[in-house]
Amino acid sequence: MTVKMRQVGPCFAAEVEGIDIRKPLSPDEVAAVHDGMDEYAVLVFHDQHIDDEQQLAFSRSLGELEHSVGASLRAPEEYRLPTTFADVSNLDKNQQPFARDDRRRLFAIGNRLWHSDSSFKVVPAKYSLLHARSIPSKGGNTEFADMRAAYDALDAETRAEIEDLVCEHSQIFSRQQIGFFDLTEEERARFKPVRQRMVRTHPVTKRKSVYLASHAGGILGWPVPEARIFLRDLIEHATQREFVYSHKWRVGDLVMWDNRQVMHRGRPFPAHEPRDVRRTTLAGDGPTVAQAV
């Protein structure tokens, strides 16, 4: 079957037809997925009723996996999934929803802020692939903001100002925004800030994007208050409704996105209802900028 991609209404995302993720991809199918990601940055595959191994095989056919280690407050003995997955569900290892005041849940709801996956790592993520195994009765959408369009819409003076800026990213910064300060000294050391460019150029299309996230808490060479209000203004600009696609999940959906070109955020849902979504992540090619020693 020929791979077809249909843009979702006026949005930048596209729905994919003609690929069965349960089966190994041909070289032409792999190329079609990469081409689609370059063009749309968000691809939606409906009715993909797959297991963990099939999701891993599909992901590995597209690139090198990023392992999820130390990015949440789950201790290793509390992991529900292997480290080849990022467990972004609200479930503990016994498949039960976290209590409302569980610190692991409270840390995780920072994902409701606009962010880019793994921007808090020296090598930030390339693609994220999120598969829905069970979804709540309402809410829980994922929204995506097109950071290419956001860059294009900036005035020339602002584009020139941000061209060579470097930000510091850490999950400490994003969690402080929601009033979460309950971190141990070990966790603070693990989440120490890394540096990322504010403007990234796509290696294939050469389009520029504003590289932002709630994890960005400083700009090198700027006073912190000025940097944070500037970052807030940029995120407000980048997440105007004309730049945003909202995905309403159904079981079996697999949505993949390019973290170099979009930000995303999760939306609220009933805390007592299970939401089992499993993310595989492709590693980026390298640091966006030299790191502090």
Side-chain angles (χ1 to χ4, degrees), residues 144-168:
F144 300 91
D146 187 345
M147 306 306 286
R148 305 162 301 180
Y151 176 87
D152 292 344
L154 291 170
D155 59 74
E157 182 179 353
T158 304
R159 288 201 297 270
E161 182 177 21
I162 68 175
E163 179 65 29
D164 296 316
L165 293 182
V166 173
C167 296
E168 289 190 316

Side-chain angles (χ1 to χ4, degrees), residues 55 102 107 277:
Q55 182 172 348
D102 191 302
F107 185 86
V277 288

Side-chain angles (χ1 to χ4, degrees), residues 99-143:
R100 190 158 198 167
D101 60 352
D102 191 302
R103 70 189 293 267
R104 294 167 297 181
R105 173 183 178 271
L106 297 177
F107 185 86
I109 63 174
N111 290 328
R112 296 182 192 173
L113 298 171
W114 288 105
H115 64 286
S116 178
D117 286 335
S118 298
S119 77
F120 50 83
K121 296 183 179 181
V122 170
V123 177
K126 183 180 180 181
Y127 297 164
S128 293
L129 303 91
L130 190 62
H131 186 247
R133 306 296 175 88
S134 67
I135 56 175
S137 61
K138 60 182 179 180
N141 289 5
T142 301
E143 295 182 340

Side-chain angles (χ1 to χ4, degrees), residues 23-233:
K23 301 176 181 178
L25 267 60
S26 69
D28 286 346
E29 288 173 329
V30 170
V33 172
H34 285 301
D35 289 346
M37 290 294 283
D38 291 345
E39 181 175 358
Y40 298 106
V42 178
L43 296 180
V44 179
F45 301 77
H46 291 301
D47 302 317
Q48 302 291 334
H49 299 286
I50 56 175
D51 59 24
D52 288 351
E53 288 306 312
Q54 290 166 327
Q55 182 172 348
L56 286 170
F58 175 67
S59 303
R60 287 184 171 122
S61 71
L62 300 172
E64 180 185 349
L65 285 184
E66 173 192 284
H67 281 250
S68 182
V69 178
S72 73
L73 298 193
R74 297 176 191 253
E77 64 273 13
E78 298 170 341
Y79 286 179
R80 191 177 67 101
L81 302 173
T83 60
T84 45
F85 287 86
D87 191 351
V88 289
S89 74
N90 66 334
L91 303 174
D92 63 22
K93 66 178 181 180
N94 298 315
Q95 314 300 326
Q96 297 302 308
F98 289 128
R100 190 158 198 167
D101 60 352
D102 191 302
R103 70 189 293 267
R104 294 167 297 181
R105 173 183 178 271
L106 297 177
F107 185 86
I109 63 174
N111 290 328
R112 296 182 192 173
L113 298 171
W114 288 105
H115 64 286
S116 178
D117 286 335
S118 298
S119 77
F120 50 83
K121 296 183 179 181
V122 170
V123 177
K126 183 180 180 181
Y127 297 164
S128 293
L129 303 91
L130 190 62
H131 186 247
R133 306 296 175 88
S134 67
I135 56 175
S137 61
K138 60 182 179 180
N141 289 5
T142 301
E143 295 182 340
F144 300 91
D146 187 345
M147 306 306 286
R148 305 162 301 180
Y151 176 87
D152 292 344
L154 291 170
D155 59 74
E157 182 179 353
T158 304
R159 288 201 297 270
E161 182 177 21
I162 68 175
E163 179 65 29
D164 296 316
L165 293 182
V166 173
C167 296
E168 289 190 316
H169 289 237
S170 169
Q171 289 193 96
I172 294 173
F173 299 144
S174 55
R175 272 45 185 184
Q176 286 175 347
Q177 292 182 40
I178 61 170
F180 187 95
F181 299 93
D182 181 21
L183 294 171
T184 66
E185 288 304 311
E186 182 277 328
E187 289 162 349
R188 291 183 184 280
R190 192 188 339 145
F191 299 140
K192 65 182 180 181
V194 303
R195 295 177 175 181
Q196 306 290 1
R197 288 188 58 85
M198 186 180 284
V199 177
R200 298 185 68 176
T201 302
H202 191 278
V204 176
T205 67
K206 306 306 179 184
R207 286 191 71 180
K208 290 186 175 182
S209 300
V210 195
Y211 190 55
L212 298 172
S214 56
H215 309 310
I219 299 172
L220 293 190
W222 287 41
V224 170
E226 184 181 12
R228 291 196 178 180
I229 199 68
F230 185 71
L231 288 164
R232 180 173 291 189
D233 285 346

Side-chain angles (χ1 to χ4, degrees), residues 250-262:
R250 62 194 199 204
V251 172
D253 280 353
L254 184 139
V255 179
M256 62 184 295
W257 62 90
D258 188 337
N259 288 288
R260 302 167 300 178
Q261 302 190 83
V262 299

